[in-house]
Amino acid sequence: MEKVKCLIVGGGPAGYTAAIYAARAAISPVLYEGLEPGGQLTTTTVVENFPGFPNGVDANALMTDIRSQAVRLGADIRRGSVSAADLSSRPFKITIDGQTELEAETLIIATGATAKYLGLPSEQKFRGLGVSACATCDGFFYRRKDVAVVGGGDTACEEATYLAGLCNKVYMIVRRDVLRASAAMQERVANTPNIEILWNCNTREVLGDSSGVTGARLERKDGEVFDIKIDGFFLAIGHHPQSDLFARWIKTDEAGYIITDGRSSATNVEGVFAAGDVQDPHYRQAITAAASGCRAALDAEKFLKR
Ligand code: NDP
């Protein structure tokens, strides 16, 4: 069975940065990228707030470069996802894609988070047929059409403004009478004439036929039920941390975010560290994920040298 000193799970900014630091620390990191190499950032277009890029940077190019940097420094980056983990004792036993088994002296969990859905059967029925959780991936298909974005956070505002550049009209379906988004994003929405915010509204049902989504049935707080005509229904209501595989061993909060000890990236299991969105319900930025990947690699290095 292959033995690995430092196993990193997750191919986002946290995982790749952990790989850079672990490679430079000569602890021979092996990283499995999971189903979405590059992580959530690859579902966006331009990143304007990553330091070092005065004119912004293409998100995919940024992730490709961080990955290449890790490879150049000696990280072994592989395709594949963890399918099972036994963290009851060290070395930890990890299964990749239900086949390959390996033993890891230390483990860095950087599996990120995935988009949440409302949980409506009709939403499920039209997934891929007009229902999407990624405007930058799928917005192209809705050029000059009418669409809706659910949510009132930064993601919803970002997706709505992105879609507004492509679509005829964008509704934002917001369940309260305020947006959660930052002031800058709110201003951007307010200054985009083809975005209309539907305040105090919840989605009862996604409407459609054999061709896909044709509308949505909404209910306002005052009880009024009404339909809007749309071709695309985009979810932007937050994310779910990808910690399920490790939850038997690793302590998480109620929402599933891995709990680290606060001062470091250490989890409740010695030799297991967590980095990026899987342990961060607050900041969730590429730069904070990268920084936490750095911390996790330094913590793993220190642990191995003990
Ligand atoms: P948030 O948790 O910030 O916002 C989620 C939004 O969805 C809220 O408006 C929430 O409403 C709404 N919502 C949640 N559940 C439901 C539901 N069941 N039905 C209807 N609406 C619902 O998530 P985001 O993904 O927007 O942002 C996550 C983090 O990432 C934040 O810290 C954000 O600042 C950051 N971010 C930063 C960006 C940037 O800096 N460029 C870009 C994108 C995100 P309510 O407010 O009522 O709870």
Side-chain angles (χ1 to χ4, degrees):
M1 192 184 298
E2 184 182 6
K3 292 182 187 344
V4 174
K5 265 195 201 167
C6 175
L7 180 68
I8 302 166
V9 192
Y16 290 155
T17 306
I20 289 173
Y21 274 79
R24 292 196 81 235
I27 54 173
S28 314
V30 171
L31 181 150
Y32 280 91
E33 292 183 301
L35 294 175
E36 197 178 34
Q40 285 179 77
L41 216 57
T42 57
T43 63
T44 189
T45 46
V46 175
V47 183
E48 289 188 331
N49 48 13
F50 203 92
F53 300 94
N55 301 314
V57 58
D58 176 84
N60 280 284
L62 175 66
M63 291 317 299
T64 305
D65 283 351
I66 301 178
R67 186 186 189 281
S68 305
Q69 193 176 351
V71 170
R72 184 180 69 77
L73 291 167
D76 180 352
I77 299 188
R78 304 175 183 176
R79 286 285 153 99
S81 305
V82 171
S83 51
D86 177 354
L87 309 183
S88 56
S89 62
R90 274 197 321 122
F92 308 116
K93 287 166 195 60
I94 308 291
T95 310
I96 308 295
D97 294 333
Q99 303 168 352
T100 317
E101 291 197 346
L102 46 86
E103 287 186 345
E105 278 293 309
T106 58
L107 174 67
I108 296 176
I109 303 172
T111 40
T114 50
K116 279 187 192 164
Y117 286 80
L118 294 171
L120 302 168
S122 54
E123 171 195 54
Q124 204 52 34
K125 184 174 163 192
F126 293 111
R127 252 174 102 162
L129 287 169
V131 171
S132 164
C134 178
T136 43
C137 318
D138 301 326
F140 180 79
F141 302 113
Y142 302 94
R143 276 180 306 166
R144 292 184 284 279
K145 295 184 172 175
D146 293 353
V147 298
V149 177
V150 187
D154 278 324
T155 305
C157 291
E158 206 169 78
E159 307 237 312
T161 43
Y162 172 77
L163 289 166
L166 292 169
C167 302
N168 177 51
K169 169 146 196 160
V170 181
Y171 295 101
M172 283 185 75
I173 304 170
V174 178
R175 67 179 173 182
R176 292 189 292 152
D177 59 357
V178 287
L179 294 173
R180 183 184 287 270
S182 58
M185 288 310 297
Q186 294 200 30
E187 199 181 322
R188 209 175 284 184
V189 165
N191 291 332
T192 308
N194 60 338
I195 297 179
E196 182 185 342
I197 302 184
L198 302 171
W199 300 105
N200 294 312
C201 284
N202 275 302
T203 309
R204 266 195 170 185
E205 216 180 321
V206 180
L207 308 171
D209 56 26
S210 57
S211 67
V213 170
T214 56
R217 182 153 300 151
L218 309 183
E219 180 170 357
R220 206 175 270 126
K221 241 186 202 147
D222 60 14
E224 186 197 350
V225 176
F226 62 101
D227 293 351
I228 52 170
K229 273 187 74 178
I230 45 167
D231 295 292
F233 183 82
F234 290 87
L235 281 307
I237 59 169
H239 291 82
H240 177 70
Q242 306 247 60
S243 60
D244 298 356
L245 266 174
F246 310 100
R248 182 167 167 209
W249 319 99
I250 302 291
K251 274 192 191 150
T252 66
D253 68 10
E254 279 170 12
Y257 287 94
I258 292 178
I259 296 169
T260 53
D261 85 350
R263 283 170 176 262
S264 78
S265 63
T267 67
N268 59 301
V269 175
E270 276 214 335
V272 180
F273 306 91
D277 285 11
V278 73
Q279 53 84 58
D280 177 12
H282 299 296
Y283 302 106
R284 294 184 278 195
Q285 301 298 296
I287 188 69
T288 52
S292 71
C294 155
R295 282 158 51 107
L298 295 178
D299 291 340
E301 178 196 9
K302 201 166 151 200
F303 180 85
L304 285 166
K305 287 191 174 150
R306 253 192 356 209

